[in-house]
Amino acid sequence: MAWSLLIEASLLFTAAAIIFAAWMHARVRDRRAHRALAQSEERFRNLTALSADWFWETDAEQRITWLTGGPAVLEFFGSGLAFGRRLWELPGVELDGRAFTEHLEKLRLRLPFFDLELARRDGAGARQSHLVSGQPRYDARGAFLGYRGVGRDVTERRRSELELAAAKERLELALEGSNASLWDTDLRTGKVYLSEGWAAFTGRPRAPTATTVDELMQGVHPTDLPRAVRLSMEVVKGECEDYAEEHRYRTAGGDWKWLLSRGKVSERDAEGRARRMTGINIDITGRKRAEQALREAEERYRSLIELAPDAVVVYAGGVIEYANPAAARLVRVASPRELLGRRVEDFVHPDDLEHFRERLRYLNAGPGTVGFEERRLRRPDGSELVVETASASYLERGRLVMQSVVRDVTEQRKAREALAEREQRFRDVVEASGEYVWETDAQWRYTYLSARAEAVLGYLRTDLIGRRPREFMPLGEARMLDAFFDRNGREGQPFRDLTHRSLTQSGKLIWQQVSGVPVRDAQGQLVGYRGTGADITARKQAEERIQYLATRDALTGLPNRALLADRAGQAILAAARSRGQLALLLFDLDRFSLVNDSLGHQAGDALLRAVAERLQNTLRREDTLARLGGDEFVLLWDGLKSVQEAALVAQRIQDTLQRPFTIEGRALSACASIGIALYPEDGRDFSALLKSADTAMVHAKETGRGGFRLFSPALNARAVERLALDGDLRAALVRGELLLHWQPVVRHGVLAGAEALVRWNHPERGLLPPDDFIPAAEQSGLIRAVGEWTLERALSQIGAWQRTLPGAPWFALNVSSLELAQGDAYVARLRDALAAHGVPGERLELEVTERVLMANLAENIETLERIGQLGVRLAIDDFGTGYSSLAYLRRLPIDKLKIDRSFLRELDSNSGDAAIVETVAAMARSLGLQVAAEGVETEAQLARLLAIGCHEWQGHFFSPPLEAAAFERLALEQRSAAAG
């Protein structure tokens, strides 16, 4: 019994010694961890002490519109775009659900909020926490604008709270004596006996615990188990006396705790085999957490420093021990490593070196801080920069360490210098601007005038001091000043751009522009005014000239469209009140372009001035003659008594213009086509009257130049119909409503070719011939698009017929004046189209009317010659209806004359038409040209043509225009009949 008690006492003593040693070891490691953590916190606080909180603003939809602050802003928000997003919409931001719900309710009620916590993990995974507070913003009218507030970085505080909780837990465990658990293992049976502290480790009910080695091993973390088994086996085998090993163990709740396990063999048998092991398990979870917190703090510190936009340098004894990437960028070295071991003062500008050393001595005297101050640095490459730097010194592991934050302000310095330069430039400009500076007392008596005032007013300054500006103004101008101040506030109010007239000493009237502000004494009483004045006489004259030019035609001096519209509006109002009438006469000069083309634009301008002058001299003072542009004039005749009077006015204009004008030594005659619109019958406003007059003028031109026409509803309907036709034709080109018909051409009784004639399959009016829409296309400019479509479609069909039709039939196309006027562009398009469809030029004939040729004869001849070089034949269509002159026929590179159909209608019965046809045929033969006729309707007409010697013809007597398929069948039938 005594021996048993002795063994038990020995075992207890051994266990106690082991517990005491383990406890002391844990205490030492805990103190080291706390010291390391404290030092890390000290360094982190020194850095963040140099930063500032951040500020923000949002719009009424809570989207960020302004964000500024120190490095904490960049660390928290990262490089992502925050503007335009709500705080809780930023990537990675975390909020407590309940707090977020309450926050949204406050935003809805537009209430202030405080300390809303936002959390986010940085690139290294470290959690950051910021508290945000905000107040609603309103404008001067009380309209809600959004929120404005601040953010505070509480990451360090939250981490400190966690670390404090861990330290508290460790302290409580130590005080309660429950951080250790004894264990005793019977190596023969594998049974393990554990003290009550084990229950606290595992979360099981407090009771003596008995288990087995295998069960204990199942709770050890798989990663830690191999090492724990190896160390314990080394002790069992006697390779070492004891072991100490740290591992994780799963609790009853599934969590992992860190344990420090110590043990040794407490009993061996006679052969030295271990029979029993005794040891202790100590809960070191708190210490592990502290170590983890230390690592996270160091990582957070390093991440903040590495990502900081400002340079951060840590040095001791003036030698750099650490520099972040921003420091390397600041001094333009490849990496921060190149800065390690170098002296800080090597980068200080020589002129600032003494001041830097004084600051360094202050920091070396003990822990302290130096706020931001400006300093110059010199980079290794010799370039210089201006920085702001703040420094702090602190104790770290028993030695004094200094830390500096450096910010490049070179651009800011340049901006300040540029601003100062601009201010100086502004002062110089004011001095040289020509304005003068003035000051008065409260009664507006001059007390000061700059030298420039003498040049403006012509008086010596000594003569002006003590006198009022009103004394130098013409009669009535003072009343204008009183009215100005009544509108803009009475005494004591600033005023700007007050314009008035003044009399100089020589009696000259000038315009001045004056601006001024009130001058008050320290008690706020008005003591006078000061400001600037300038002579703006030249500007006023320029404005009057501009006003004149804005309402007058620059060439003739007549009212322009704007002034005419104003006067017409006034005349219409007067006529409406008096139930009177007025007339608007719109006219332009017939064939005015011939004057420009033949004599030049200078002569044309002279003719327009002469017309304006002559007409003005024949009008009443109350009438308005205006020029709209070009050769177009408008006469507003007020007080019209009857329609006959309007016609008499138009005839008077014609008579006035018929008298010759002498222009550059030449006598020129002029005539006009006049359109007349009456108020109120033809329109009740200026625009309507002008439109009606224009419609009437167009009709006057169409029915014979040199006349006048009164507007009528029928003319308007015709104009509307033409406008509608233009719109339908534009749509037809898009919808593909145009098509080609082919009229066969017979030569010597055999089908020789065909003329391509465009048709319009109108959706409402059916199939329209060219005469129904080609004139409208020519007037609207659509003829070019129609011609391009015709050329492309015709050559496509001709190319296909080359493979199906026997022989070598040729085909004719009509060319408009707009197409021919394109010159080289049209030739290039024709050449490309022939090549694209594989059609030889010899298979194509282009027909041009005399009117088209004579429009620009010289240019058209050059174009026709280039077309002929492509092998394309040329024919004059409708010959006999135009000039029909041998003089120009000799110059034209043509191959054929086509007699107009109008001469064939009575060919067999009218000797005059027969004579014309015979003359054309003879003319063609004398010039070596072919002759053809179109519009052959009867056998008698054909017989007469053949007798004259015209063997090429086309018309309904042989065949009307056919669709492509019908023409192809006819051609094949003709060839078969000829072969049979």
Side-chain angles (χ1 to χ4, degrees):
M1 184 65 179
W3 177 254
S4 175
L5 290 175
L6 181 59
I7 292 175
E8 185 175 352
S10 175
L11 180 60
L12 289 174
F13 178 77
T14 302
I18 294 173
I19 291 172
F20 180 76
W23 180 74
M24 287 298 294
H25 179 74
R27 291 279 314 264
V28 170
R29 295 193 63 173
D30 286 347
R31 283 198 296 271
R32 290 176 179 172
H34 280 291
R35 280 200 304 273
L37 180 59
Q39 291 171 353
S40 176
E41 290 172 350
E42 176 67 17
R43 174 175 291 179
F44 190 73
R45 281 194 296 272
N46 281 313
L47 176 64
T48 54
L50 302 176
S51 302
D53 289 344
W54 51 279
F55 307 88
W56 55 269
E57 283 186 4
T58 67
D59 59 15
E61 300 298 326
Q62 313 305 329
R63 292 185 292 265
I64 296 173
T65 59
W66 177 66
L67 183 66
T68 185
V73 173
L74 181 60
E75 177 67 14
F76 185 73
F77 290 99
S79 60
L81 185 61
F83 293 97
R85 299 185 177 183
R86 298 175 176 86
L87 285 171
W88 57 85
E89 293 177 348
L90 297 175
V93 169
E94 303 171 1
L95 290 92
D96 178 74
R98 182 176 178 183
F100 182 55
T101 301
E102 294 175 355
H103 175 67
L104 292 180
E105 181 62 17
K106 290 181 179 180
L107 295 182
R108 187 183 67 82
L109 298 175
R110 297 177 180 173
L111 298 175
F113 63 91
F114 304 95
D115 293 340
L116 173 66
E117 183 165 350
L118 305 178
R120 192 172 185 264
R121 296 191 180 276
D122 61 16
R127 182 182 178 86
Q128 303 178 52
S129 298
H130 285 237
L131 294 181
V132 180
S133 301
Q135 293 279 354
R137 298 187 294 124
Y138 299 90
D139 62 13
R141 297 187 300 275
F144 177 67
L145 300 177
Y147 274 77
R148 175 186 295 119
V150 300
R152 291 183 291 115
D153 186 356
V154 296
T155 304
E156 296 299 321
R157 192 175 79 186
R158 290 290 184 262
R159 191 179 66 231
S160 298
E161 291 171 357
L162 293 174
E163 294 169 356
L164 180 61
K168 181 179 178 182
E169 180 182 357
R170 289 195 300 273
L171 179 59
E172 289 175 351
L173 290 173
L175 292 175
E176 294 176 1
S178 60
N179 65 332
S181 172
L182 297 175
W183 56 268
D184 180 52
T185 302
D186 186 342
L187 297 177
R188 293 170 298 178
T189 62
K191 292 187 176 295
V192 181
Y193 299 91
L194 300 149
S195 67
E196 293 183 358
W198 182 252
F201 292 162
T202 61
R204 294 182 175 86
R206 286 183 174 273
T209 303
T211 183
T212 65
V213 174
D214 292 338
E215 290 179 356
L216 285 176
M217 287 183 177
Q218 292 177 2
V220 179
H221 195 282
T223 305
D224 303 335
L225 181 60
R227 184 172 183 274
V229 172
R230 179 176 57 79
L231 292 177
S232 63
M233 289 304 297
E234 290 177 353
V235 174
V236 171
K237 294 178 181 179
E239 296 176 2
C240 56
E241 184 177 353
D242 60 9
Y243 76 93
E245 185 268 337
E246 297 176 356
H247 62 266
R248 287 162 289 180
Y249 197 87
R250 186 186 298 275
T251 66
D255 298 327
W256 295 97
K257 279 191 174 183
W258 278 97
L259 300 180
L260 170 62
S261 181
R262 286 179 172 274
K264 61 186 297 184
V265 175
S266 58
E267 182 181 350
R268 292 182 182 273
D269 60 14
E271 287 79 19
R273 289 190 295 269
R275 298 177 61 185
R276 185 178 297 278
M277 287 188 68
T278 306
I280 185 172
N281 288 324
I282 301 174
D283 186 357
I284 60 170
T285 305
R287 193 195 78 199
K288 285 292 186 179
R289 289 175 179 171
E291 292 174 351
Q292 180 65 25
L294 174 61
R295 287 192 294 272
E296 290 178 356
E298 291 177 347
E299 182 64 28
R300 188 177 299 114
Y301 167 76
R302 179 170 294 277
S303 297
L304 177 60
I305 296 298
E306 295 292 325
L307 296 175
D310 295 335
V312 178
V313 181
V314 179
Y315 50 97
V319 178
I320 298 174
E321 297 180 352
Y322 170 80
N324 68 347
R329 293 193 297 269
L330 185 70
V331 296
R332 295 178 182 171
V333 297
S335 70
R337 291 180 177 273
E338 296 185 24
L339 299 176
L340 303 185
R342 300 191 61 171
R343 298 190 63 81
V344 178
E345 65 181 27
D346 293 343
F347 298 93
V348 179
H349 193 279
D351 295 342
D352 294 347
L353 191 57
E354 185 58 36
H355 180 70
F356 167 75
R357 288 172 177 169
E358 185 273 328
R359 293 301 188 195
L360 194 60
R361 286 192 294 270
Y362 167 76
L363 294 173
N364 276 323
T369 60
V370 176
F372 278 105
E373 58 185 11
E374 200 169 275
R375 183 174 297 144
R376 286 176 296 172
L377 299 183
R378 178 170 289 173
R379 298 185 178 99
D381 61 8
S383 61
E384 297 178 0
L385 70 158
V386 181
V387 299
E388 285 183 350
T389 177
S391 303
S393 60
Y394 53 91
L395 291 172
E396 182 181 82
R397 296 186 180 92
R399 67 192 185 106
L400 195 65
V401 176
M402 271 144 273
Q403 186 170 274
S404 295
V405 173
V406 186
R407 181 176 302 145
D408 186 358
V409 295
T410 305
E411 295 301 324
Q412 296 177 20
R413 164 72 74 84
K414 291 180 180 178
R416 288 197 299 268
E417 294 174 350
L419 177 60
E421 182 182 352
R422 286 196 297 270
E423 290 176 350
Q424 182 61 42
R425 187 183 302 118
F426 176 74
R427 286 192 291 270
D428 295 341
V429 169
V430 169
E431 290 295 330
S433 64
E435 295 184 349
Y436 65 90
V437 180
W438 56 265
E439 290 184 3
T440 69
D441 59 16
Q443 285 72 43
W444 290 97
R445 290 187 292 263
Y446 284 125
T447 59
Y448 169 80
L449 286 162
S450 64
R452 177 65 181 169
E454 295 183 353
V456 173
L457 296 174
Y459 293 92
L460 295 176
R461 283 181 287 174
T462 54
D463 297 335
L464 295 171
I465 298 300
R467 301 177 68 179
R468 295 184 175 90
R470 293 170 181 259
E471 299 178 29
F472 307 97
M473 295 181 185
L475 294 176
E477 201 71 14
R479 290 194 297 272
M480 186 278 297
L481 289 182
D482 292 337
F484 175 86
F485 284 111
D486 287 339
R487 293 192 305 270
N488 297 277
R490 295 303 299 172
E491 301 292 334
Q493 298 295 323
F495 59 92
R496 184 175 181 82
D497 297 338
L498 169 60
T499 303
H500 66 83
R501 294 175 298 168
S502 296
L503 289 171
T504 66
Q505 188 178 29
S506 63
K508 178 183 177 182
L509 189 66
I510 65 171
W511 283 92
Q512 287 197 82
Q513 190 171 74
V514 182
S515 300
V517 294
V519 180
R520 302 183 184 276
D521 59 17
Q523 289 73 39
Q525 297 297 318
L526 180 68
V527 296
Y529 294 85
R530 70 165 58 98
T532 60
D535 182 358
I536 61 168
T537 306
R539 194 183 80 188
K540 273 289 186 181
Q541 293 172 347
E543 289 175 352
E544 293 173 357
R545 175 62 178 167
I546 291 172
Q547 178 65 23
Y548 177 83
L549 293 177
T551 58
R552 296 284 175 170
D553 174 52
L555 178 64
T556 62
L558 296 176
N560 61 10
R561 186 188 188 100
L563 184 56
L564 173 66
D566 180 67
R567 291 185 179 178
Q570 297 177 22
I572 288 172
L573 288 176
R577 287 193 295 268
S578 62
R579 298 181 181 275
Q581 285 185 308
L582 58 87
L584 197 71
L585 291 81
L586 174 65
F587 58 94
D588 66 6
L589 304 182
D590 295 332
R591 300 187 182 278
F592 176 74
S593 60
L594 291 177
V595 177
N596 281 334
D597 295 340
S598 58
L599 301 180
H601 288 277
Q602 184 174 356
D605 292 344
L607 177 60
L608 291 174
R609 286 192 293 267
V611 168
E613 182 179 1
R614 182 179 293 182
L615 289 177
Q616 271 190 306
N617 293 333
T618 62
L619 299 176
R620 302 173 303 177
R621 188 171 62 179
E622 62 267 24
D623 300 327
T624 298
L625 177 65
R627 177 173 176 245
L628 300 186
D631 61 335
E632 201 167 51
F633 295 84
V634 176
L635 173 61
L636 175 64
W637 187 271
D638 199 4
L640 184 70
K641 296 181 178 60
S642 64
V643 176
Q644 290 75 16
E645 184 182 11
L648 289 174
V649 171
Q651 188 59 52
R652 188 187 306 168
I653 293 174
Q654 296 284 20
D655 294 342
T656 302
L657 295 178
Q658 284 178 359
R659 297 198 306 272
F661 295 90
T662 302
I663 304 298
E664 296 182 352
R666 295 182 176 87
L668 300 179
S669 298
C671 63
S673 297
I674 305 175
I676 306 172
L678 306 179
Y679 172 85
E681 293 89 339
D682 302 332
R684 294 185 174 273
D685 56 33
F686 171 69
S687 297
L689 286 173
L690 188 63
K691 177 183 175 184
S692 299
D694 182 64
T695 302
M697 184 187 71
V698 171
H699 183 61
K701 283 183 173 294
E702 292 176 349
T703 56
R705 300 177 184 272
F708 63 88
R709 290 292 182 274
L710 291 164
F711 175 79
S712 67
L715 293 179
N716 185 57
R718 180 181 174 186
V720 170
E721 181 182 357
R722 185 170 57 194
L723 182 63
L725 185 65
D726 289 347
D728 290 346
L729 185 55
R730 293 179 189 275
L733 289 168
V734 177
R735 294 194 296 258
E737 295 174 359
L738 299 183
L739 52 88
L740 289 180
H741 281 186
W742 304 84
Q743 182 161 42
V745 177
V746 179
R747 180 184 293 169
H748 297 293
V750 179
L751 179 64
E755 180 181 358
L757 300 174
V758 64
R759 297 289 189 267
W760 179 5
N761 189 15
H762 195 283
E764 297 177 358
R765 299 168 59 184
L767 194 64
L768 300 181
D771 293 343
D772 286 359
F773 62 90
I774 291 299
E778 289 177 341
Q779 292 181 5
S780 64
L782 288 175
I783 190 63
R784 183 177 297 175
V786 173
E788 291 178 359
W789 179 90
T790 302
L791 177 65
E792 185 66 26
R793 186 60 58 89
L795 289 180
S796 174
Q797 181 63 66
I798 296 170
W801 277 338
Q802 286 192 113
R803 297 184 294 271
T804 58
L805 294 182
W810 52 265
F811 299 90
L813 297 178
N814 291 281
V815 180
S816 68
S817 59
L818 288 178
E819 291 178 286
L820 203 60
Q822 292 178 335
D824 291 342
Y826 178 75
V827 176
R829 185 165 65 250
L830 177 62
R831 181 176 56 249
D832 294 342
L834 289 170
H837 297 288
V839 177
E842 295 77 10
R843 301 287 295 276
L844 186 65
E845 181 178 285
L846 296 184
E847 297 183 359
V848 187
T849 65
E850 291 180 277
R851 178 177 58 84
V852 169
L853 283 173
M854 297 304 296
N856 294 285
L857 183 60
E859 292 84 353
N860 288 340
I861 288 175
E862 294 180 4
T863 303
L864 293 177
E865 288 175 346
R866 288 191 292 272
I867 292 174
Q869 292 172 4
L870 301 177
V872 177
R873 295 192 306 277
L874 299 168
I876 296 181
D877 196 13
D878 301 337
F879 187 77
T881 60
Y883 296 89
S884 304
S885 169
L886 285 173
Y888 82 83
L889 282 179
R890 289 199 306 270
R891 298 172 55 193
L892 292 174
I894 58 174
D895 304 284
K896 181 188 297 184
L897 298 180
K898 290 190 69 174
I899 302 171
D900 185 64
R901 66 178 63 243
S902 61
F903 299 117
L904 270 67
R905 293 192 184 99
E906 300 178 1
L907 179 63
D908 54 342
S909 59
N910 188 316
S911 59
D913 288 346
I916 291 174
V917 173
E918 290 178 0
T919 302
V920 171
M923 183 187 302
R925 284 193 295 269
S926 66
L927 294 174
L929 303 178
Q930 298 178 14
V931 63
E934 57 182 352
V936 178
E937 307 293 336
T938 65
E939 184 176 1
Q941 291 173 345
L942 177 58
R944 186 67 172 168
L945 277 175
L946 295 177
I948 293 172
C950 179
H951 297 281
E952 182 176 313
W953 57 276
Q954 63 190 79
H956 283 69
F957 179 69
F958 180 77
S959 172
L962 303 172
E963 294 183 355
F967 174 78
E968 184 174 348
R969 288 194 299 271
L970 177 63
L972 293 175
E973 291 172 359
Q974 288 285 316
R975 294 295 180 182
S976 299

